[in-house]
Amino acid sequence: VQLLESGPGLVKPSQTLSLTCTLSGGSITSAGYSWSWIRHLPGGGLEWIGYISYSGATSYTPSLKSRVTMSLDTAENQVSLKLNSVTAADTAVYYCATTISVDQNYYFYFDLWGRGTLVTVSS
Amino acid sequence: QSVLTQPPSASGAPGQTVIISCSGGSSNIGTNSVNWYQHLPGTAPRLLIHSNDQRPSGVPGRFSGSKSGTSASLAINGVQSEDEADYYCAAWDDSLDGRGVFGGGTKLTVL
């Protein structure tokens, strides 16, 4: 199983960042799996953005919840991320990752990551 | 400001034991299991330890994890040069409607 993130490397402030994560060697509707988006900020920290389950249920981090939408494209075997009203603070490397979420997230971890894609927000 | 607290750096000579700490609170480490990730810049991060102390297949036995109360540790017994990387702890946090949280990362230097 491999994950590959793709999308524009440059987005203008106030616009919408749109990324896709293509899964090869598996199905995004595999029962028991979720798909997270995580970003690595220039300051060095990792930030979990949210996840979408194989059934389409979503959970977003509260600080980004008002701007984030995740969805599944079963025909293309892709997971998408949309982040609207971006600013320079959204500049980061964005990763998708397969996510294990069990027992009300007592067990919550990312067992396979993509290599990430750099998104720069600049005019 | 990361929810989980890690030292920014750690170091050790080849063959030594290095321990990286991760401190949290009652809503994250105190309630849920802890995971560790290894990240070399320019590559995909790698799951090193999950569920406090479980090593995925393919992860060398020199890596081990433990948890006590609201703190956790990653130990590397017999550190090797290829272990030079950034290490992050992570867990689910039950506050604020729930969210995944990370430590700020620890840069390991092999002397």
Side-chain angles (χ1 to χ4, degrees), chain A residues 40 44 46 48 59 61-62 95 105-111 113-115, chain B residues 31-33 35 37 39 42 44-45 47 50-51 88 92 96 99-100 102:
Chain A
H40 192 179
L46 289 171
W48 177 75
S59 177
T61 196
Y95 297 95
N105 295 313
Y106 176 82
Y107 300 102
F108 179 77
Y109 59 92
F110 317 112
D111 62 350
W113 299 58
R115 293 194 65 171
Chain B
T31 303
N32 300 307
S33 61
N35 316 292
Y37 302 91
H39 189 207
L47 176 65
H50 70 84
S51 310
Y88 295 89
W92 184 261
L96 298 177
R99 53 178 176 155
F102 287 93

PDB file of all heavy atoms in Angstrom, chain A residues 40 44 46 48 59 61-62 95 105-111 113-115, chain B residues 31-33 35 37 39 42 44-45 47 50-51 88 92 96 99-100 102:
ATOM      1  N   HIS A  40       3.187  19.555   8.397  1.00  0.00           N
ATOM      2  CA  HIS A  40       4.438  19.856   9.066  1.00  0.00           C
ATOM      3  C   HIS A  40       4.722  21.319   8.822  1.00  0.00           C
ATOM      4  O   HIS A  40       5.018  21.722   7.705  1.00  0.00           O
ATOM      5  CB  HIS A  40       5.561  18.981   8.503  1.00  0.00           C
ATOM      6  CG  HIS A  40       6.818  19.023   9.315  1.00  0.00           C
ATOM      7  ND1 HIS A  40       7.936  18.285   8.990  1.00  0.00           N
ATOM      8  CD2 HIS A  40       7.147  19.702  10.432  1.00  0.00           C
ATOM      9  CE1 HIS A  40       8.885  18.505   9.891  1.00  0.00           C
ATOM     10  NE2 HIS A  40       8.425  19.359  10.762  1.00  0.00           N
ATOM     11  N   GLY A  44       8.551  23.585  12.550  1.00  0.00           N
ATOM     12  CA  GLY A  44       9.016  22.242  12.884  1.00  0.00           C
ATOM     13  C   GLY A  44       7.969  21.323  13.471  1.00  0.00           C
ATOM     14  O   GLY A  44       8.192  20.138  13.562  1.00  0.00           O
ATOM     15  N   LEU A  46       4.381  19.153  14.022  1.00  0.00           N
ATOM     16  CA  LEU A  46       3.364  18.432  13.265  1.00  0.00           C
ATOM     17  C   LEU A  46       1.996  18.798  13.808  1.00  0.00           C
ATOM     18  O   LEU A  46       1.804  18.913  15.022  1.00  0.00           O
ATOM     19  CB  LEU A  46       3.568  16.917  13.387  1.00  0.00           C
ATOM     20  CG  LEU A  46       4.764  16.316  12.657  1.00  0.00           C
ATOM     21  CD1 LEU A  46       4.960  14.863  13.062  1.00  0.00           C
ATOM     22  CD2 LEU A  46       4.595  16.429  11.152  1.00  0.00           C
ATOM     23  N   TRP A  48      -2.133  17.687  13.369  1.00  0.00           N
ATOM     24  CA  TRP A  48      -3.175  16.843  12.806  1.00  0.00           C
ATOM     25  C   TRP A  48      -4.318  17.725  12.357  1.00  0.00           C
ATOM     26  O   TRP A  48      -4.807  18.557  13.146  1.00  0.00           O
ATOM     27  CB  TRP A  48      -3.661  15.849  13.858  1.00  0.00           C
ATOM     28  CG  TRP A  48      -4.780  14.965  13.443  1.00  0.00           C
ATOM     29  CD1 TRP A  48      -4.710  13.893  12.606  1.00  0.00           C
ATOM     30  CD2 TRP A  48      -6.149  15.054  13.864  1.00  0.00           C
ATOM     31  NE1 TRP A  48      -5.944  13.315  12.478  1.00  0.00           N
ATOM     32  CE2 TRP A  48      -6.852  14.002  13.238  1.00  0.00           C
ATOM     33  CE3 TRP A  48      -6.849  15.916  14.706  1.00  0.00           C
ATOM     34  CZ2 TRP A  48      -8.213  13.787  13.425  1.00  0.00           C
ATOM     35  CZ3 TRP A  48      -8.207  15.709  14.906  1.00  0.00           C
ATOM     36  CH2 TRP A  48      -8.873  14.649  14.262  1.00  0.00           C
ATOM     37  N   SER A  59     -13.759  13.885  11.328  1.00  0.00           N
ATOM     38  CA  SER A  59     -13.397  14.525  12.588  1.00  0.00           C
ATOM     39  C   SER A  59     -12.293  15.508  12.268  1.00  0.00           C
ATOM     40  O   SER A  59     -11.286  15.116  11.661  1.00  0.00           O
ATOM     41  CB  SER A  59     -12.927  13.488  13.615  1.00  0.00           C
ATOM     42  OG  SER A  59     -12.507  14.121  14.809  1.00  0.00           O
ATOM     43  N   THR A  61      -9.704  18.873  13.578  1.00  0.00           N
ATOM     44  CA  THR A  61      -9.167  19.552  14.739  1.00  0.00           C
ATOM     45  C   THR A  61      -9.920  20.874  14.940  1.00  0.00           C
ATOM     46  O   THR A  61     -10.231  21.574  13.967  1.00  0.00           O
ATOM     47  CB  THR A  61      -7.652  19.778  14.590  1.00  0.00           C
ATOM     48  OG1 THR A  61      -7.079  20.086  15.853  1.00  0.00           O
ATOM     49  CG2 THR A  61      -7.326  20.888  13.599  1.00  0.00           C
ATOM     50  N   PRO A  62     -10.259  21.214  16.169  1.00  0.00           N
ATOM     51  CA  PRO A  62     -11.121  22.383  16.417  1.00  0.00           C
ATOM     52  C   PRO A  62     -10.598  23.686  15.820  1.00  0.00           C
ATOM     53  O   PRO A  62     -11.385  24.500  15.324  1.00  0.00           O
ATOM     54  CB  PRO A  62     -11.177  22.447  17.948  1.00  0.00           C
ATOM     55  CG  PRO A  62     -11.004  21.025  18.385  1.00  0.00           C
ATOM     56  CD  PRO A  62     -10.017  20.447  17.412  1.00  0.00           C
ATOM     57  N   TYR A  95       0.744  15.960   4.605  1.00  0.00           N
ATOM     58  CA  TYR A  95       0.828  14.509   4.499  1.00  0.00           C
ATOM     59  C   TYR A  95      -0.564  13.893   4.632  1.00  0.00           C
ATOM     60  O   TYR A  95      -1.398  14.385   5.402  1.00  0.00           O
ATOM     61  CB  TYR A  95       1.668  13.912   5.633  1.00  0.00           C
ATOM     62  CG  TYR A  95       3.110  14.330   5.669  1.00  0.00           C
ATOM     63  CD1 TYR A  95       3.530  15.389   6.470  1.00  0.00           C
ATOM     64  CD2 TYR A  95       4.079  13.642   4.928  1.00  0.00           C
ATOM     65  CE1 TYR A  95       4.862  15.761   6.529  1.00  0.00           C
ATOM     66  CE2 TYR A  95       5.417  14.004   4.985  1.00  0.00           C
ATOM     67  CZ  TYR A  95       5.795  15.060   5.782  1.00  0.00           C
ATOM     68  OH  TYR A  95       7.116  15.425   5.843  1.00  0.00           O
ATOM     69  N   ASN A 105     -10.936   6.186  20.062  1.00  0.00           N
ATOM     70  CA  ASN A 105      -9.632   6.806  19.879  1.00  0.00           C
ATOM     71  C   ASN A 105      -8.653   6.554  21.019  1.00  0.00           C
ATOM     72  O   ASN A 105      -7.631   7.230  21.105  1.00  0.00           O
ATOM     73  CB  ASN A 105      -9.774   8.306  19.617  1.00  0.00           C
ATOM     74  CG  ASN A 105     -10.494   8.580  18.309  1.00  0.00           C
ATOM     75  OD1 ASN A 105     -10.174   7.974  17.290  1.00  0.00           O
ATOM     76  ND2 ASN A 105     -11.452   9.477  18.331  1.00  0.00           N
ATOM     77  N   TYR A 106      -8.924   5.583  21.876  1.00  0.00           N
ATOM     78  CA  TYR A 106      -7.878   5.167  22.827  1.00  0.00           C
ATOM     79  C   TYR A 106      -6.652   4.717  22.034  1.00  0.00           C
ATOM     80  O   TYR A 106      -5.518   5.041  22.356  1.00  0.00           O
ATOM     81  CB  TYR A 106      -8.363   4.042  23.737  1.00  0.00           C
ATOM     82  CG  TYR A 106      -7.254   3.533  24.647  1.00  0.00           C
ATOM     83  CD1 TYR A 106      -6.948   4.203  25.821  1.00  0.00           C
ATOM     84  CD2 TYR A 106      -6.488   2.414  24.299  1.00  0.00           C
ATOM     85  CE1 TYR A 106      -5.910   3.778  26.642  1.00  0.00           C
ATOM     86  CE2 TYR A 106      -5.451   1.984  25.107  1.00  0.00           C
ATOM     87  CZ  TYR A 106      -5.168   2.666  26.283  1.00  0.00           C
ATOM     88  OH  TYR A 106      -4.137   2.244  27.082  1.00  0.00           O
ATOM     89  N   TYR A 107      -6.917   3.923  20.993  1.00  0.00           N
ATOM     90  CA  TYR A 107      -5.878   3.559  20.040  1.00  0.00           C
ATOM     91  C   TYR A 107      -6.060   4.462  18.823  1.00  0.00           C
ATOM     92  O   TYR A 107      -7.060   4.353  18.106  1.00  0.00           O
ATOM     93  CB  TYR A 107      -5.979   2.096  19.615  1.00  0.00           C
ATOM     94  CG  TYR A 107      -5.861   1.128  20.765  1.00  0.00           C
ATOM     95  CD1 TYR A 107      -6.990   0.514  21.301  1.00  0.00           C
ATOM     96  CD2 TYR A 107      -4.618   0.834  21.321  1.00  0.00           C
ATOM     97  CE1 TYR A 107      -6.886  -0.364  22.364  1.00  0.00           C
ATOM     98  CE2 TYR A 107      -4.514  -0.038  22.388  1.00  0.00           C
ATOM     99  CZ  TYR A 107      -5.649  -0.638  22.903  1.00  0.00           C
ATOM    100  OH  TYR A 107      -5.546  -1.499  23.960  1.00  0.00           O
ATOM    101  N   PHE A 108      -5.134   5.349  18.605  1.00  0.00           N
ATOM    102  CA  PHE A 108      -5.252   6.308  17.512  1.00  0.00           C
ATOM    103  C   PHE A 108      -3.853   6.562  16.985  1.00  0.00           C
ATOM    104  O   PHE A 108      -3.041   7.205  17.667  1.00  0.00           O
ATOM    105  CB  PHE A 108      -5.896   7.608  18.002  1.00  0.00           C
ATOM    106  CG  PHE A 108      -6.029   8.657  16.936  1.00  0.00           C
ATOM    107  CD1 PHE A 108      -7.034   8.577  15.981  1.00  0.00           C
ATOM    108  CD2 PHE A 108      -5.151   9.723  16.879  1.00  0.00           C
ATOM    109  CE1 PHE A 108      -7.155   9.547  14.993  1.00  0.00           C
ATOM    110  CE2 PHE A 108      -5.260  10.700  15.894  1.00  0.00           C
ATOM    111  CZ  PHE A 108      -6.267  10.608  14.958  1.00  0.00           C
ATOM    112  N   TYR A 109      -3.556   6.019  15.808  1.00  0.00           N
ATOM    113  CA  TYR A 109      -2.220   6.203  15.264  1.00  0.00           C
ATOM    114  C   TYR A 109      -2.219   6.096  13.749  1.00  0.00           C
ATOM    115  O   TYR A 109      -3.169   5.624  13.138  1.00  0.00           O
ATOM    116  CB  TYR A 109      -1.226   5.203  15.883  1.00  0.00           C
ATOM    117  CG  TYR A 109      -1.558   3.738  15.698  1.00  0.00           C
ATOM    118  CD1 TYR A 109      -1.067   3.003  14.622  1.00  0.00           C
ATOM    119  CD2 TYR A 109      -2.340   3.069  16.646  1.00  0.00           C
ATOM    120  CE1 TYR A 109      -1.354   1.661  14.478  1.00  0.00           C
ATOM    121  CE2 TYR A 109      -2.632   1.720  16.507  1.00  0.00           C
ATOM    122  CZ  TYR A 109      -2.138   1.020  15.435  1.00  0.00           C
ATOM    123  OH  TYR A 109      -2.429  -0.317  15.300  1.00  0.00           O
ATOM    124  N   PHE A 110      -1.122   6.579  13.183  1.00  0.00           N
ATOM    125  CA  PHE A 110      -0.972   6.666  11.727  1.00  0.00           C
ATOM    126  C   PHE A 110       0.048   5.615  11.291  1.00  0.00           C
ATOM    127  O   PHE A 110       1.231   5.767  11.573  1.00  0.00           O
ATOM    128  CB  PHE A 110      -0.504   8.067  11.319  1.00  0.00           C
ATOM    129  CG  PHE A 110      -1.230   9.157  12.061  1.00  0.00           C
ATOM    130  CD1 PHE A 110      -0.556   9.953  12.977  1.00  0.00           C
ATOM    131  CD2 PHE A 110      -2.580   9.385  11.854  1.00  0.00           C
ATOM    132  CE1 PHE A 110      -1.209  10.953  13.676  1.00  0.00           C
ATOM    133  CE2 PHE A 110      -3.250  10.382  12.550  1.00  0.00           C
ATOM    134  CZ  PHE A 110      -2.564  11.165  13.465  1.00  0.00           C
ATOM    135  N   ASP A 111      -0.399   4.564  10.623  1.00  0.00           N
ATOM    136  CA  ASP A 111       0.533   3.459  10.392  1.00  0.00           C
ATOM    137  C   ASP A 111       1.225   3.518   9.045  1.00  0.00           C
ATOM    138  O   ASP A 111       2.199   2.793   8.838  1.00  0.00           O
ATOM    139  CB  ASP A 111      -0.134   2.101  10.629  1.00  0.00           C
ATOM    140  CG  ASP A 111      -1.284   1.827   9.697  1.00  0.00           C
ATOM    141  OD1 ASP A 111      -1.716   2.754   8.980  1.00  0.00           O
ATOM    142  OD2 ASP A 111      -1.762   0.678   9.676  1.00  0.00           O
ATOM    143  N   TRP A 113       2.375   6.606   6.019  1.00  0.00           N
ATOM    144  CA  TRP A 113       2.320   7.998   5.588  1.00  0.00           C
ATOM    145  C   TRP A 113       2.749   8.107   4.133  1.00  0.00           C
ATOM    146  O   TRP A 113       3.556   7.317   3.651  1.00  0.00           O
ATOM    147  CB  TRP A 113       3.292   8.851   6.412  1.00  0.00           C
ATOM    148  CG  TRP A 113       3.068   8.919   7.883  1.00  0.00           C
ATOM    149  CD1 TRP A 113       3.032   7.869   8.762  1.00  0.00           C
ATOM    150  CD2 TRP A 113       2.909  10.096   8.670  1.00  0.00           C
ATOM    151  NE1 TRP A 113       2.856   8.328  10.039  1.00  0.00           N
ATOM    152  CE2 TRP A 113       2.781   9.697  10.015  1.00  0.00           C
ATOM    153  CE3 TRP A 113       2.876  11.468   8.370  1.00  0.00           C
ATOM    154  CZ2 TRP A 113       2.610  10.600  11.062  1.00  0.00           C
ATOM    155  CZ3 TRP A 113       2.713  12.383   9.402  1.00  0.00           C
ATOM    156  CH2 TRP A 113       2.577  11.945  10.729  1.00  0.00           C
ATOM    157  N   GLY A 114       2.232   9.127   3.453  1.00  0.00           N
ATOM    158  CA  GLY A 114       2.771   9.503   2.165  1.00  0.00           C
ATOM    159  C   GLY A 114       4.027  10.339   2.359  1.00  0.00           C
ATOM    160  O   GLY A 114       4.404  10.660   3.497  1.00  0.00           O
ATOM    161  N   ARG A 115       4.666  10.704   1.249  1.00  0.00           N
ATOM    162  CA  ARG A 115       5.898  11.476   1.349  1.00  0.00           C
ATOM    163  C   ARG A 115       5.650  12.970   1.524  1.00  0.00           C
ATOM    164  O   ARG A 115       6.580  13.731   1.773  1.00  0.00           O
ATOM    165  CB  ARG A 115       6.762  11.230   0.121  1.00  0.00           C
ATOM    166  CG  ARG A 115       7.281   9.813   0.045  1.00  0.00           C
ATOM    167  CD  ARG A 115       8.381   9.678  -0.967  1.00  0.00           C
ATOM    168  NE  ARG A 115       9.568  10.459  -0.583  1.00  0.00           N
ATOM    169  CZ  ARG A 115      10.729  10.382  -1.192  1.00  0.00           C
ATOM    170  NH1 ARG A 115      10.876   9.577  -2.208  1.00  0.00           N
ATOM    171  NH2 ARG A 115      11.745  11.126  -0.798  1.00  0.00           N
TER     172      ARG A 115
ATOM    173  N   THR B  31      -5.118   9.323  29.459  1.00  0.00           N
ATOM    174  CA  THR B  31      -6.334   8.594  29.111  1.00  0.00           C
ATOM    175  C   THR B  31      -6.161   7.663  27.921  1.00  0.00           C
ATOM    176  O   THR B  31      -6.821   6.624  27.852  1.00  0.00           O
ATOM    177  CB  THR B  31      -7.464   9.594  28.781  1.00  0.00           C
ATOM    178  OG1 THR B  31      -7.660  10.459  29.889  1.00  0.00           O
ATOM    179  CG2 THR B  31      -8.768   8.875  28.455  1.00  0.00           C
ATOM    180  N   ASN B  32      -5.315   8.037  26.983  1.00  0.00           N
ATOM    181  CA  ASN B  32      -5.189   7.295  25.720  1.00  0.00           C
ATOM    182  C   ASN B  32      -3.772   6.785  25.508  1.00  0.00           C
ATOM    183  O   ASN B  32      -2.834   7.202  26.195  1.00  0.00           O
ATOM    184  CB  ASN B  32      -5.610   8.202  24.577  1.00  0.00           C
ATOM    185  CG  ASN B  32      -7.050   8.657  24.723  1.00  0.00           C
ATOM    186  OD1 ASN B  32      -7.965   7.849  24.877  1.00  0.00           O
ATOM    187  ND2 ASN B  32      -7.259   9.980  24.677  1.00  0.00           N
ATOM    188  N   SER B  33      -3.631   5.907  24.528  1.00  0.00           N
ATOM    189  CA  SER B  33      -2.316   5.314  24.280  1.00  0.00           C
ATOM    190  C   SER B  33      -1.425   6.287  23.505  1.00  0.00           C
ATOM    191  O   SER B  33      -1.896   7.223  22.864  1.00  0.00           O
ATOM    192  CB  SER B  33      -2.455   4.000  23.523  1.00  0.00           C
ATOM    193  OG  SER B  33      -3.065   4.213  22.269  1.00  0.00           O
ATOM    194  N   ASN B  35       1.925   7.016  20.860  1.00  0.00           N
ATOM    195  CA  ASN B  35       2.610   6.505  19.675  1.00  0.00           C
ATOM    196  C   ASN B  35       3.839   7.350  19.387  1.00  0.00           C
ATOM    197  O   ASN B  35       3.905   8.516  19.784  1.00  0.00           O
ATOM    198  CB  ASN B  35       1.649   6.562  18.479  1.00  0.00           C
ATOM    199  CG  ASN B  35       0.268   6.062  18.838  1.00  0.00           C
ATOM    200  OD1 ASN B  35       0.066   4.881  19.099  1.00  0.00           O
ATOM    201  ND2 ASN B  35      -0.704   6.981  18.902  1.00  0.00           N
ATOM    202  N   TYR B  37       6.807   8.407  16.289  1.00  0.00           N
ATOM    203  CA  TYR B  37       7.115   8.451  14.866  1.00  0.00           C
ATOM    204  C   TYR B  37       8.544   8.937  14.670  1.00  0.00           C
ATOM    205  O   TYR B  37       9.039   9.796  15.403  1.00  0.00           O
ATOM    206  CB  TYR B  37       6.150   9.389  14.128  1.00  0.00           C
ATOM    207  CG  TYR B  37       4.706   8.995  14.307  1.00  0.00           C
ATOM    208  CD1 TYR B  37       3.950   9.507  15.351  1.00  0.00           C
ATOM    209  CD2 TYR B  37       4.116   8.051  13.461  1.00  0.00           C
ATOM    210  CE1 TYR B  37       2.633   9.109  15.549  1.00  0.00           C
ATOM    211  CE2 TYR B  37       2.797   7.656  13.647  1.00  0.00           C
ATOM    212  CZ  TYR B  37       2.071   8.183  14.694  1.00  0.00           C
ATOM    213  OH  TYR B  37       0.764   7.779  14.885  1.00  0.00           O
ATOM    214  N   HIS B  39      11.113  10.645  11.802  1.00  0.00           N
ATOM    215  CA  HIS B  39      11.024  11.429  10.571  1.00  0.00           C
ATOM    216  C   HIS B  39      12.385  11.905  10.129  1.00  0.00           C
ATOM    217  O   HIS B  39      13.057  12.668  10.845  1.00  0.00           O
ATOM    218  CB  HIS B  39      10.091  12.636  10.761  1.00  0.00           C
ATOM    219  CG  HIS B  39       9.794  13.364   9.494  1.00  0.00           C
ATOM    220  ND1 HIS B  39       9.471  14.699   9.444  1.00  0.00           N
ATOM    221  CD2 HIS B  39       9.785  12.940   8.202  1.00  0.00           C
ATOM    222  CE1 HIS B  39       9.270  15.060   8.190  1.00  0.00           C
ATOM    223  NE2 HIS B  39       9.447  13.998   7.423  1.00  0.00           N
ATOM    224  N   GLY B  42      12.451  15.131   4.253  1.00  0.00           N
ATOM    225  CA  GLY B  42      12.341  14.750   2.852  1.00  0.00           C
ATOM    226  C   GLY B  42      11.784  13.366   2.629  1.00  0.00           C
ATOM    227  O   GLY B  42      11.575  12.949   1.484  1.00  0.00           O
ATOM    228  N   ALA B  44       8.892  10.151   4.105  1.00  0.00           N
ATOM    229  CA  ALA B  44       7.635   9.940   4.819  1.00  0.00           C
ATOM    230  C   ALA B  44       7.925   9.605   6.276  1.00  0.00           C
ATOM    231  O   ALA B  44       8.786   8.762   6.559  1.00  0.00           O
ATOM    232  CB  ALA B  44       6.855   8.803   4.168  1.00  0.00           C
ATOM    233  N   PRO B  45       7.234  10.228   7.215  1.00  0.00           N
ATOM    234  CA  PRO B  45       7.373   9.802   8.611  1.00  0.00           C
ATOM    235  C   PRO B  45       7.025   8.328   8.750  1.00  0.00           C
ATOM    236  O   PRO B  45       6.258   7.772   7.960  1.00  0.00           O
ATOM    237  CB  PRO B  45       6.363  10.698   9.350  1.00  0.00           C
ATOM    238  CG  PRO B  45       6.236  11.914   8.479  1.00  0.00           C
ATOM    239  CD  PRO B  45       6.344  11.387   7.072  1.00  0.00           C
ATOM    240  N   LEU B  47       5.928   5.101  11.448  1.00  0.00           N
ATOM    241  CA  LEU B  47       5.433   4.671  12.756  1.00  0.00           C
ATOM    242  C   LEU B  47       6.472   3.777  13.415  1.00  0.00           C
ATOM    243  O   LEU B  47       6.861   2.755  12.851  1.00  0.00           O
ATOM    244  CB  LEU B  47       4.110   3.921  12.590  1.00  0.00           C
ATOM    245  CG  LEU B  47       3.498   3.327  13.858  1.00  0.00           C
ATOM    246  CD1 LEU B  47       3.090   4.436  14.840  1.00  0.00           C
ATOM    247  CD2 LEU B  47       2.299   2.447  13.504  1.00  0.00           C
ATOM    248  N   HIS B  50       3.452   1.978  18.544  1.00  0.00           N
ATOM    249  CA  HIS B  50       2.043   2.337  18.729  1.00  0.00           C
ATOM    250  C   HIS B  50       1.495   1.664  19.992  1.00  0.00           C
ATOM    251  O   HIS B  50       2.090   0.725  20.514  1.00  0.00           O
ATOM    252  CB  HIS B  50       1.206   1.985  17.500  1.00  0.00           C
ATOM    253  CG  HIS B  50       1.014   0.508  17.273  1.00  0.00           C
ATOM    254  ND1 HIS B  50       0.032  -0.239  17.887  1.00  0.00           N
ATOM    255  CD2 HIS B  50       1.687  -0.349  16.477  1.00  0.00           C
ATOM    256  CE1 HIS B  50       0.104  -1.481  17.498  1.00  0.00           C
ATOM    257  NE2 HIS B  50       1.123  -1.584  16.639  1.00  0.00           N
ATOM    258  N   SER B  51       0.381   2.188  20.463  1.00  0.00           N
ATOM    259  CA  SER B  51      -0.283   1.599  21.635  1.00  0.00           C
ATOM    260  C   SER B  51       0.670   1.477  22.823  1.00  0.00           C
ATOM    261  O   SER B  51       0.715   0.431  23.489  1.00  0.00           O
ATOM    262  CB  SER B  51      -0.864   0.230  21.251  1.00  0.00           C
ATOM    263  OG  SER B  51      -1.634   0.320  20.076  1.00  0.00           O
ATOM    264  N   TYR B  88       8.820  12.097  17.149  1.00  0.00           N
ATOM    265  CA  TYR B  88       7.619  12.744  17.651  1.00  0.00           C
ATOM    266  C   TYR B  88       6.750  11.758  18.430  1.00  0.00           C
ATOM    267  O   TYR B  88       6.532  10.631  17.980  1.00  0.00           O
ATOM    268  CB  TYR B  88       6.766  13.286  16.485  1.00  0.00           C
ATOM    269  CG  TYR B  88       7.409  14.386  15.690  1.00  0.00           C
ATOM    270  CD1 TYR B  88       8.218  14.107  14.601  1.00  0.00           C
ATOM    271  CD2 TYR B  88       7.185  15.725  16.022  1.00  0.00           C
ATOM    272  CE1 TYR B  88       8.806  15.113  13.857  1.00  0.00           C
ATOM    273  CE2 TYR B  88       7.765  16.755  15.281  1.00  0.00           C
ATOM    274  CZ  TYR B  88       8.577  16.443  14.210  1.00  0.00           C
ATOM    275  OH  TYR B  88       9.152  17.458  13.480  1.00  0.00           O
ATOM    276  N   TRP B  92      -4.251  10.766  21.141  1.00  0.00           N
ATOM    277  CA  TRP B  92      -5.545  11.435  21.013  1.00  0.00           C
ATOM    278  C   TRP B  92      -5.788  12.244  22.284  1.00  0.00           C
ATOM    279  O   TRP B  92      -5.458  11.797  23.386  1.00  0.00           O
ATOM    280  CB  TRP B  92      -6.670  10.417  20.825  1.00  0.00           C
ATOM    281  CG  TRP B  92      -8.005  11.043  20.597  1.00  0.00           C
ATOM    282  CD1 TRP B  92      -9.007  11.247  21.515  1.00  0.00           C
ATOM    283  CD2 TRP B  92      -8.502  11.578  19.360  1.00  0.00           C
ATOM    284  NE1 TRP B  92     -10.079  11.861  20.922  1.00  0.00           N
ATOM    285  CE2 TRP B  92      -9.799  12.081  19.602  1.00  0.00           C
ATOM    286  CE3 TRP B  92      -7.974  11.672  18.067  1.00  0.00           C
ATOM    287  CZ2 TRP B  92     -10.581  12.671  18.595  1.00  0.00           C
ATOM    288  CZ3 TRP B  92      -8.748  12.248  17.076  1.00  0.00           C
ATOM    289  CH2 TRP B  92     -10.025  12.738  17.340  1.00  0.00           C
ATOM    290  N   LEU B  96     -11.695  19.615  23.935  1.00  0.00           N
ATOM    291  CA  LEU B  96     -12.088  20.397  22.757  1.00  0.00           C
ATOM    292  C   LEU B  96     -12.729  19.526  21.681  1.00  0.00           C
ATOM    293  O   LEU B  96     -12.363  19.600  20.512  1.00  0.00           O
ATOM    294  CB  LEU B  96     -10.873  21.129  22.163  1.00  0.00           C
ATOM    295  CG  LEU B  96     -10.182  22.148  23.073  1.00  0.00           C
ATOM    296  CD1 LEU B  96      -8.959  22.726  22.369  1.00  0.00           C
ATOM    297  CD2 LEU B  96     -11.144  23.261  23.469  1.00  0.00           C
ATOM    298  N   ARG B  99      -9.193  15.573  19.439  1.00  0.00           N
ATOM    299  CA  ARG B  99      -8.242  15.896  18.369  1.00  0.00           C
ATOM    300  C   ARG B  99      -6.983  15.070  18.553  1.00  0.00           C
ATOM    301  O   ARG B  99      -6.644  14.687  19.684  1.00  0.00           O
ATOM    302  CB  ARG B  99      -7.881  17.375  18.395  1.00  0.00           C
ATOM    303  CG  ARG B  99      -7.391  17.840  19.763  1.00  0.00           C
ATOM    304  CD  ARG B  99      -6.982  19.282  19.795  1.00  0.00           C
ATOM    305  NE  ARG B  99      -6.611  19.689  21.151  1.00  0.00           N
ATOM    306  CZ  ARG B  99      -5.796  20.694  21.437  1.00  0.00           C
ATOM    307  NH1 ARG B  99      -5.264  21.418  20.460  1.00  0.00           N
ATOM    308  NH2 ARG B  99      -5.524  21.007  22.687  1.00  0.00           N
ATOM    309  N   GLY B 100      -6.286  14.836  17.434  1.00  0.00           N
ATOM    310  CA  GLY B 100      -4.978  14.235  17.528  1.00  0.00           C
ATOM    311  C   GLY B 100      -3.956  15.292  17.887  1.00  0.00           C
ATOM    312  O   GLY B 100      -4.033  16.407  17.379  1.00  0.00           O
ATOM    313  N   PHE B 102       0.382  16.163  18.865  1.00  0.00           N
ATOM    314  CA  PHE B 102       1.774  15.744  18.759  1.00  0.00           C
ATOM    315  C   PHE B 102       2.625  16.481  19.773  1.00  0.00           C
ATOM    316  O   PHE B 102       2.262  17.556  20.255  1.00  0.00           O
ATOM    317  CB  PHE B 102       2.326  16.092  17.364  1.00  0.00           C
ATOM    318  CG  PHE B 102       1.816  15.231  16.250  1.00  0.00           C
ATOM    319  CD1 PHE B 102       0.702  15.609  15.517  1.00  0.00           C
ATOM    320  CD2 PHE B 102       2.466  14.059  15.905  1.00  0.00           C
ATOM    321  CE1 PHE B 102       0.229  14.832  14.472  1.00  0.00           C
ATOM    322  CE2 PHE B 102       2.012  13.278  14.850  1.00  0.00           C
ATOM    323  CZ  PHE B 102       0.890  13.664  14.139  1.00  0.00           C
TER     324      PHE B 102
END
